[in-house]
Amino acid sequence: AQSVAQPEDQVNVAEGNPLTVKCTYSVSGNPYLFWYVQYPNRGLQFLLKYITGDNLVKGSYGFEAEFNKSQTSFHLKKPSALVSDSALYFCAVRDISGTASKLTFGTGTRLQVTL
Amino acid sequence: GAVVSQHPSWVICKSGTSVKIECRSLDFQATTMFWYRQFPKQSLMLMATSNEGSKATYEQGVEKDKFLINHASLTLSTLTVTSAHPEDSSFYICSALRSIGGAGTGELFFGEGSRLTVL
């Protein structure tokens, strides 16, 4: 069974500083990995994904993520955090066996960016 | 990008009543949609996979008779919480799969969520 782990419940960072939100995964085949962001009482917004190709994936709002196969990690990063980046971030892995295309989400990491 | 609409965004109902939540893909057809439930400060838990024209596939532990899913058209899936109780209060989120190729491919687009409060 596939799984995703987000070891940090919350990450605090000052505006302008770089941020990292950690994610590790476990899959039996090739990993299809995603990052989503959720603002209060809202649905999920897609940030970026890794399917194949370059290990460094660039996404929306200046975010990027680095796929590391040896460490089974897919950490989300941004060079310079903004207060508006404060939200709940979910890492997810997709099972494409059969026709389901189901996503398994991590527990989420709350990012708090302060002035 | 593609848009998925959920309605209602907020609903408050009395215990024992049934509530229907709609999930619509506005600019693409979705043979597959997913329903998730999210408790406060927790992750999304997949409840079921909604398949157009056939029965939904429920995850283990989800009561089929409690959470009725209907996917009657390529752009609409509905989740009905029957005989709702306070413990059913939660944030329900749907997603729709826009296929771009063979089985298992495509993009997932999420609705804005529906917050259910059962009094």
Side-chain angles (χ1 to χ4, degrees):
Chain A
Q2 59 189 29
S3 65
V4 170
Q6 292 180 246
E8 304 156 315
D9 290 337
Q10 180 157 329
V11 169
N12 298 307
V13 65
E15 187 174 57
N17 284 358
L19 70 88
T20 299
V21 182
K22 296 179 180 178
C23 172
T24 58
Y25 65 89
S26 175
V27 297
S28 56
N30 292 323
Y32 284 29
L33 298 161
F34 300 79
W35 275 102
Y36 290 88
V37 60
Q38 184 182 33
Y39 295 96
N41 295 310
R42 302 292 294 276
L44 272 66
Q45 295 180 32
F46 170 79
L47 280 180
L48 51 81
K49 67 181 178 183
Y50 173 83
I51 303 297
T52 186
D54 291 340
N55 290 341
L56 185 63
V57 179
K58 293 189 181 297
S60 307
Y61 313 118
F63 284 92
E64 58 189 28
E66 186 170 9
F67 171 68
N68 188 316
K69 188 173 184 177
S70 62
Q71 297 184 3
T72 61
S73 67
F74 190 55
H75 301 330
L76 181 69
K77 300 181 180 182
K78 187 173 181 179
S80 178
L82 298 172
V83 172
S84 57
D85 293 330
S86 299
L88 188 58
Y89 290 81
F90 289 100
C91 183
V93 61
R94 183 158 154 187
D95 175 8
I96 63 165
S97 61
T99 59
S101 295
K102 295 190 292 186
L103 277 177
T104 299
F105 288 90
T107 50
T109 299
R110 187 165 300 281
L111 174 65
Q112 188 68 48
V113 182
T114 54
L115 290 171
Chain B
V3 178
V4 174
S5 173
Q6 264 186 258
H7 178 79
S9 301
W10 298 80
V11 57
I12 301 174
C13 69
K14 294 182 179 180
S15 184
T17 61
S18 294
V19 175
K20 180 184 287 187
I21 301 170
E22 294 184 346
C23 179
R24 294 181 184 272
S25 55
L26 298 185
D27 52 359
F28 67 97
Q29 294 182 330
T31 57
T32 303
M33 293 184 177
F34 302 91
W35 286 96
Y36 294 85
R37 182 174 180 177
Q38 185 180 29
F39 292 101
K41 299 183 179 181
Q42 293 189 28
S43 187
L44 282 73
M45 300 301 297
L46 180 65
M47 299 173 65
T49 303
S50 174
N51 305 299
E52 188 269 335
S54 64
K55 293 182 179 181
T57 304
Y58 289 82
E59 296 299 303
Q60 190 173 9
V62 178
E63 299 176 61
K64 301 178 182 181
D65 296 333
K66 176 75 172 175
F67 299 100
L68 300 179
I69 292 174
N70 183 276
H71 195 154
S73 78
L74 287 172
T75 58
L76 174 65
S77 175
T78 61
L79 168 67
T80 301
V81 183
T82 63
S83 186
H85 292 283
E87 58 265 29
D88 298 324
S89 299
S90 191
F91 194 55
Y92 294 88
I93 302 175
C94 75
S95 69
L97 178 66
R98 185 176 69 178
S99 296
I100 57 176
T105 64
E107 296 287 338
L108 282 167
F109 296 91
F110 285 81
E112 289 290 296
S114 300
R115 181 161 301 283
L116 170 63
T117 301
V118 184
L119 302 176

